[in-house]
Amino acid sequence: MILNSKIPEGPVSQKWNNHKFSMKLVNPANKRKYDIIVVGSGLAGGSAAATLAELGYNVKAFSYHESPRRAHSIAAQGGINAAKNYPNDGDSIYRLFYDTVKGGDYRAREANVYRLAEVSNNIIDQCVAQGVPFAREYGGLLDNRSFGGAQVSRTFYARGQTGQQLLLGVYSALVRQMNTGKVQFFPRHDMLDIVKVDGKARGVVTRNLETGEITSHSAHAVILATGGYGNVFFLSTNAMASNVTASWRAHKQGACFANPCFTQIHPTCIPVSSDHQSKLTLMSESLRNDGRVWVPKKAGDDRNPNNIPDEERDYYLERLYPSFGNLVPRDVASRRAKEMCDKGHGVGPTKLAVYLDFADVIHRNGKDWVSEKYGNLFDMYRQITGENPYETPMKIYPAVHYTMGGLWVDYNLMSTVPGLHVLGEANFSDHGANRLGASALMQGLADGYFIIPYTIGDYLAQGGLKEVRTSDDTFQHAERLVKESLEKMLAIKGSKTVDDIHKELGKVMWEYVGMARNKEGLEKALELIPKLKDDFWKNVLIPGGINEYNPELEKASRLADFLELGELMARDALHREESCGGHFREEFQTEENEAKRNDEDFTYAAAWEYNGGDGNPLLHKEELKFDEVSLTTRSYK
């Protein structure tokens, strides 16, 4: 296999415009002849489905939720980036591009990142036209705030519920197309396989989660927009139902999986409090605008934080990174928090937490000012912890949040399976080894609203797509394989619950493939995960049957994929003998404990090809070229 990124020729600032002009078009009268399947109804999938239907295509949209409004995009809090430069503080498309490449530790594809920055401004215009209630300044202009990894204010926000408001905009556009009949929506459907005809993605096999019915659906092209795979760690900030199944089943059908070890650990989460927890809660990165991160200078200091005087506090991010302070990128802030706790300066009952303190900004601007900007976040923290963050500092600790890896796609967002396009967090393309805050929403909407409508048209206009029916042998065979796999799980009748095994996997992943990794630990993970996989197929207990509502069967099917993915993540992390962004190998760090890249040997995207599940996937490399941004050691000092 040869990876062809299909990056257009010419200066990076002209690539997208030139490419749009060079692509083939489908004329408006012909669009109604094409069917497109969209799996996932969050910001990326919902915006793609609505836009493609608006253009005239026939869209079949699938979600395992009962409504697109339940998509995990709703959980995004702090904001969405764009290079509008409303504050007049020096921002530009190029600076957003530069910050994103640098923030990703020079492991992203330049052309894709520049295009993302270029269309970011269109996203804001689109969302304002939809009525998204972004925060506004006194004069009526849209307000901006700062986020990690940038020295300008470019983040548009709606208090601490930006994802929800953006999703409502997407939802309104999607419902409009449902009512016109151009979008056929399939709620509570789990995608369990991709169907290929003549080597091209031509449909999917789904299971109705309410009735258990397994059916197949055909189309001329398939789009996956199914989010990330952070729940391989069991505990993460992802919704409990978030999973890797759609991407992993596509991987097993020939779609390369790129950079799976690039996992983002978010520094601002509510710490673990119990072994009985099923997920973790994110506190928005926007809080680092006005909150100050600190730990007691004296190890083991158990005093009430309000009784620790300022001179006995270590505002370590401000001390180590004076230029960026508390707004260093997420990977940097996360590692420093872990370092402080490892040295004995952690706080709270578990000593795995640091303080995020708002006393200064409350004293400076007043409680009402803070409440207006962050009130719902403060309320959420108080409901979960029982502590009032207006009166005592929040306790935070890093947690698994976002996955920069995903299915490999070319510049047109098409995977190595022709006709299978991948959008948003499900692909690998835009963030490198670390995602800057407020860029996830930006990528999802850029892909759905402004990129895929062009590139999928170019694919369809190439022709050569013969008519297929779900009654064809290829579809019927795919349905049988899916059903046989589910029946095999149900027949095990072991003694362990799905969650028991998932928690074991999560502990292995966090311990050996988590915030810090080393060769010995990764090799240990590669010993333990296959044993867990064997344990699953021998000892899992799944009550109920296949032809009914069966949430345990859902979870088991997803865990089977997580077990295989976890092994690939460990293998990818072991092979990448460098530290970059969210991938921190303890053997490769500077004297100041910062990530130490190896640009000579690892300036590439690692794209893994499925090889029959024998633990030996095939590695393909997409060399990354940096013509616009010099490869330098990241510095936020």
Side-chain angles (χ1 to χ4, degrees):
M1 182 184 295
I2 298 175
L3 299 176
N4 182 1
S5 62
K6 298 181 181 178
I7 298 173
E9 297 295 327
V12 70
S13 61
Q14 299 175 24
K15 288 182 186 296
W16 179 231
N17 281 333
N18 291 343
H19 190 55
K20 285 191 291 185
F21 183 74
S22 68
M23 284 189 287
K24 292 180 179 294
L25 299 175
V26 179
N27 84 54
N30 284 339
K31 288 187 173 75
R32 67 177 69 98
K33 300 177 182 178
Y34 291 105
D35 299 328
I36 300 173
I37 284 173
V38 180
V39 184
S41 59
L43 288 184
S47 59
T51 306
L52 292 169
E54 189 77 43
L55 288 171
Y57 296 105
N58 306 305
V59 177
K60 301 174 185 177
F62 294 84
S63 173
Y64 58 71
H65 296 297
E66 68 276 13
S67 166
R69 290 180 61 178
R70 290 289 302 277
H72 188 58
S73 302
I74 199 173
Q77 298 167 342
I80 177 171
N81 288 330
K84 288 282 194 182
N85 194 31
Y86 284 170
N88 198 29
D89 58 358
D91 203 9
S92 64
I93 290 172
Y94 188 88
R95 188 176 294 277
L96 175 52
F97 156 70
Y98 175 83
D99 286 347
T100 304
V101 172
K102 176 185 175 183
D105 219 350
Y106 307 95
R107 291 295 177 262
R109 188 190 288 155
E110 271 194 347
N112 286 64
V113 177
Y114 193 91
R115 178 176 62 184
L116 176 65
E118 191 176 0
V119 304
S120 66
N121 294 338
N122 297 339
I123 297 171
I124 304 304
D125 296 339
Q126 170 93 355
C127 294
V128 169
Q130 290 175 335
V132 173
F134 287 121
R136 293 181 180 268
E137 296 176 331
Y138 178 76
L141 297 177
L142 298 184
D143 196 12
N144 289 107
R145 59 187 176 199
S146 300
F147 254 63
Q151 290 180 302
V152 296
S153 294
R154 63 162 66 102
T155 304
F156 295 79
Y157 65 98
R159 297 190 78 183
Q161 49 184 250
T162 312
Q164 178 180 0
Q165 298 303 327
L166 292 173
L167 189 61
L168 289 172
V170 167
Y171 177 70
S172 66
L174 188 58
V175 168
R176 165 181 154 80
Q177 294 306 320
M178 290 182 197
N179 289 333
T180 66
K182 296 301 291 183
V183 171
Q184 186 180 4
F185 182 62
F186 294 84
R188 302 292 290 148
H189 277 65
D190 210 5
M191 194 215 92
L192 297 180
D193 211 353
I194 293 285
V195 181
K196 295 192 298 184
V197 178
D198 297 332
K200 300 176 180 178
R202 295 302 304 272
V204 297
V205 178
T206 66
R207 178 173 180 268
N208 185 316
L209 296 179
E210 294 181 352
T211 66
E213 182 183 11
I214 295 170
T215 54
S216 52
H217 308 265
S218 64
H220 294 91
V222 178
I223 294 172
L224 296 187
T226 49
Y229 48 88
N231 277 352
V232 68
F233 291 87
F234 187 74
L235 285 178
S236 81
T237 66
N238 288 203
M240 289 180 66
S242 296
N243 63 86
V244 76
T245 289
S247 293
W248 193 253
R249 304 296 169 88
H251 174 56
K252 295 173 84 166
Q253 290 284 1
C256 284
F257 211 113
N259 301 336
C261 77
F262 286 170
T263 306
Q264 179 163 89
I265 312 295
H266 197 295
T268 318
C269 302
I270 297 178
V272 176
S273 61
S274 164
D275 286 340
H276 302 293
Q277 275 183 260
S278 56
K279 74 177 299 293
L280 297 174
T281 302
L282 170 71
M283 299 307 298
S284 171
E285 181 173 308
S286 64
L287 295 171
R288 289 198 278 146
N289 267 288
D290 294 297
R292 302 180 70 191
V293 178
W294 65 274
V295 292
K297 288 183 177 179
K298 180 182 177 182
D301 192 335
D302 290 327
R303 286 178 292 172
N304 184 301
N306 293 328
N307 295 332
I308 300 177
D310 209 57
E311 61 271 15
E312 296 180 32
R313 302 177 177 187
D314 182 6
Y315 295 94
Y316 57 90
L317 292 179
E318 298 171 34
R319 171 173 57 82
L320 294 169
Y321 308 101
S323 292
F324 282 74
N326 295 297
L327 287 174
V328 292
R330 292 173 175 179
D331 60 314
V332 176
S334 295
R335 284 198 299 274
R336 294 289 81 82
K338 180 181 185 299
E339 181 183 12
M340 291 296 139
C341 293
D342 289 347
K343 290 180 177 179
H345 297 274
V347 301
T350 65
K351 302 302 181 186
L352 292 176
V354 299
Y355 289 126
L356 182 60
D357 196 335
F358 295 87
D360 281 2
V361 69
I362 291 173
H363 177 75
R364 186 170 62 249
N365 294 340
K367 180 179 176 181
D368 290 344
W369 185 91
V370 174
S371 177
E372 184 178 340
K373 293 189 74 172
Y374 308 115
N376 62 310
L377 297 171
F378 277 48
D379 292 344
M380 182 171 69
Y381 181 88
R382 187 172 187 174
Q383 289 172 354
I384 292 172
T385 66
E387 298 178 356
N388 185 349
Y390 292 104
E391 297 175 358
T392 190
M394 289 183 179
K395 297 184 187 74
I396 58 168
Y397 194 70
V400 173
H401 177 57
Y402 188 90
T403 48
M404 287 74 66
L407 293 182
W408 184 92
V409 293
D410 62 20
Y411 189 72
N412 294 324
L413 304 185
M414 190 158 70
S415 72
T416 49
V417 174
L420 178 65
H421 299 75
V422 190
L423 314 185
E425 191 178 355
N427 76 36
F428 89 108
S429 65
D430 289 10
H431 305 296
N434 173 64
R435 176 176 68 76
L436 292 185
S439 287
L441 306 182
M442 177 173 62
Q443 187 204 353
L445 293 181
D447 287 355
Y449 279 140
F450 298 109
I451 298 172
I452 197 63
Y454 287 95
T455 60
I456 204 168
D458 180 63
Y459 170 74
L460 295 171
Q462 307 290 335
L465 297 170
K466 69 179 185 182
E467 183 179 353
V468 298
R469 297 182 178 89
T470 56
S471 58
D472 294 346
D473 288 345
T474 306
F475 285 85
Q476 294 301 306
H477 178 66
E479 285 184 33
R480 283 196 298 273
L481 291 180
V482 166
K483 187 173 182 179
E484 288 171 5
S485 175
L486 295 175
E487 289 175 338
K488 181 181 177 182
M489 289 182 194
L490 285 166
I492 297 171
K493 302 299 182 185
S495 58
K496 288 187 175 182
T497 68
V498 175
D499 282 351
D500 286 341
I501 300 173
H502 198 168
K503 286 180 180 179
E504 290 182 54
L505 173 64
K507 289 177 181 177
V508 171
M509 294 299 294
W510 181 251
E511 180 70 23
Y512 302 116
V513 201
M515 213 182 324
R517 305 147 181 191
N518 57 56
K519 184 175 186 290
E520 181 181 0
L522 292 167
E523 289 175 341
K524 181 71 172 177
L526 288 169
E527 290 178 15
L528 295 174
I529 296 172
K531 293 178 181 177
L532 283 176
K533 190 161 49 174
D534 290 342
D535 192 30
F536 172 85
W537 287 104
K538 291 177 181 176
N539 293 319
V540 74
L541 173 63
I542 307 170
I546 191 172
N547 297 314
E548 61 186 17
Y549 172 67
N550 191 340
E552 289 301 305
L553 180 59
E554 286 176 48
K555 291 194 296 184
S557 179
R558 293 165 183 172
L559 177 56
D561 297 324
F562 277 138
L563 286 161
E564 295 180 0
L565 168 69
E567 190 172 356
L568 182 63
M569 291 173 68
R571 191 171 302 280
D572 186 46
L574 181 62
H575 115 274
R576 188 171 284 276
E577 295 183 337
E578 65 166 352
S579 291
C580 56
H583 168 64
F584 191 75
R585 284 283 296 270
E586 293 175 342
E587 307 97 315
F588 307 102
Q589 56 182 301
T590 68
E591 292 181 358
E592 297 174 323
N593 304 116
E594 302 287 2
K596 187 176 182 180
R597 295 195 320 269
N598 178 353
D599 293 332
E600 183 175 345
D601 297 320
F602 292 98
T603 307
Y604 60 78
W608 297 90
E609 180 185 358
Y610 186 73
N611 191 29
D614 60 358
N616 291 297
L618 303 177
L619 173 62
H620 305 279
K621 300 176 182 179
E622 181 200 343
E623 299 297 331
L624 300 173
K625 297 180 180 179
F626 293 90
D627 300 318
E628 297 291 326
V629 178
S630 299
L631 286 165
T632 59
T633 300
R634 284 195 306 171
S635 175
Y636 293 96
K637 295 185 177 182

